[in-house]
Amino acid sequence: MIPDEMDAWVVTRPGPVSTRPLRRVRVPVPAPGPGEALVRVEACAVCRTDLHLAEGDLPPRRPRTTPGHEVVGRVVAAGPGSGGPAPGTRVGVAWLRSTCGRCRHCARGAENLCPDSTYTGWHADGGYAEYLTVPWDFAYPLPEEVPAEKLAPLLCAGIIGYRALLRSDLPPGGRLGVYGFGASAHLTAQVAVARGASVHVLTRSARARELALELGAASAGDAADAPPEPLDAAILFAPAGELVPVALAALDRGGTLAVAGIHLTDIPVLNYARHLFQERTLRSVTANTRADGRAFLEAAVAHPLRVATTPYPLDAADEALAALAADRVEGAAVLLPGNLL
């Protein structure tokens, strides 16, 4: 039975987490539209993008939005149309919610750059709730045997980290620097290690440095430190623009720095000779394509990753977001309905 109402969290007035921008409310269960499925949430991971939305770094696209775009759930109903997943199917709901499918970016396989793209938990309500809707074409099939808590972080932290790794142009057996070591970085580092890379983690968290070494990193130092060897590639996961020149200076000739976040504080003035000359490259990462998502999820299922999680009940979503803001989360925070804790 699908209830008429559900618990959900909404961003009321964006601001620092100390001002409680996230509020718990009772709202109607959404009705799936044409080509959509209604999904009952099993787990929703907490992403730094949710924090940017709550605090106003990411301008809201609609009032009282429910955040959350790393959702594992079950299809319980379908909207008008045919061809969608059957009721009971386990699916993943990720950040990219829709694209136009017609523009020149979509036509060349770069749907992540579609100017008419929409996003879960930003343009449409997300997974900090008991139910949400998803367009059939943007839902990912998920395996039954993996716990929802361990699957949820793969749907953004994993996928965007995978795209950032591709954008970094890491050569086979290369030397990769990872700046910041949260949900996305700890998954990406494992993928790089499995591919034979030497991974050097730079982060201000002592516990994160310990985790990095446990997961196979060749070294782990403070975010402002120089790695023990020049880097072929680097990924900046921390939303700290002041680390861009630090990471660029650590690159060897021809190296690439990929900035993985959707939000970044201002980048200081760069010195051309020190930071960019000798064909060093600075790249941004913008969302992902569905092809990225499918490729990463297939690889993660075939070669399981160690997914570090900190579970929270759904009714403690504000606490989970505050813990993320204070860097008190190891791995990924994941919201779970009471019956799954």
Side-chain angles (χ1 to χ4, degrees):
M1 295 293 294
I2 301 172
D4 294 327
E5 292 188 334
M6 66 177 184
D7 285 332
W9 290 84
V10 299
V11 177
T12 51
R13 181 177 297 175
V17 290
S18 60
T19 66
R20 298 189 64 205
L22 204 63
R23 295 295 178 92
R24 186 180 177 183
V25 296
R26 291 288 291 177
V27 295
V29 172
E36 293 182 349
L38 177 66
V39 175
R40 185 179 68 248
V41 176
E42 292 182 348
C44 180
V46 178
C47 180
R48 190 163 290 274
T49 301
D50 304 333
L51 179 61
H52 293 319
L53 177 68
E55 294 197 317
D57 297 322
L58 199 62
R61 288 290 185 260
R62 54 201 292 276
R64 296 173 64 84
T65 300
T66 296
H69 55 272
E70 299 179 274
V71 182
V72 177
R74 300 273 177 184
V75 173
V76 294
S82 61
T89 302
R90 198 183 208 194
V91 296
V93 183
W95 176 236
L96 186 65
R97 178 180 173 85
S98 71
T99 59
C100 75
R102 301 180 302 275
C103 70
R104 62 190 182 94
H105 304 289
C106 288
R108 66 182 177 90
E111 65 180 4
N112 60 308
L113 301 180
C114 175
D116 293 321
S117 55
T118 66
Y119 299 93
T120 310
W122 193 21
H123 294 85
D125 288 331
Y128 286 27
E130 295 180 284
Y131 295 85
L132 81 164
T133 62
V134 61
W136 296 333
D137 291 341
F138 287 80
Y140 294 95
L142 294 177
E144 293 287 343
E145 64 275 11
V146 183
E149 178 183 337
K150 301 301 182 180
L151 281 173
L154 303 182
L155 290 157
C156 180
I159 293 173
I160 201 66
Y162 177 77
R163 183 166 184 87
L165 186 61
L166 296 180
R167 293 281 289 165
S168 76
D169 280 344
L170 177 68
R175 302 157 297 177
L176 174 69
V178 174
Y179 289 81
F181 203 70
S184 189
H186 93 284
L187 298 173
T188 308
Q190 292 179 70
V191 174
V193 168
R195 293 182 173 184
S198 295
V199 176
H200 302 286
V201 171
L202 296 308
T203 179
R204 64 186 182 182
S205 168
R207 179 63 192 105
R209 292 194 290 270
E210 293 175 8
L211 177 61
L213 294 174
E214 292 171 12
L215 295 176
S219 74
D222 188 79
D225 291 346
E229 59 181 339
L231 304 173
D232 298 304
I235 304 173
L236 176 58
F237 288 101
E242 65 270 19
L243 291 179
V244 169
V246 174
L248 286 170
L251 292 176
D252 203 351
R253 300 179 180 211
T256 296
L257 170 62
V259 179
I262 192 173
H263 169 76
L264 189 71
T265 58
D266 289 344
I267 300 172
V269 174
L270 300 177
N271 178 277
Y272 179 68
R274 184 180 180 197
H275 299 127
L276 293 173
F277 191 56
Q278 295 171 334
E279 299 193 354
R280 294 176 178 89
T281 301
L282 174 61
R283 286 179 164 177
S284 66
V285 179
T286 301
N288 63 273
T289 66
R290 282 171 286 176
D292 293 330
R294 289 189 292 267
F296 170 72
L297 290 171
E298 288 172 5
V301 170
H303 304 283
L305 303 174
R306 175 179 164 186
V307 184
T309 57
T310 303
Y312 288 83
L314 177 60
D315 59 12
D318 54 346
E319 297 176 21
L321 207 61
L324 179 64
D327 288 331
R328 297 195 305 266
V329 176
E330 179 178 321
V334 181
L335 305 178
L336 299 169
N339 64 326
L340 290 181
L341 282 170

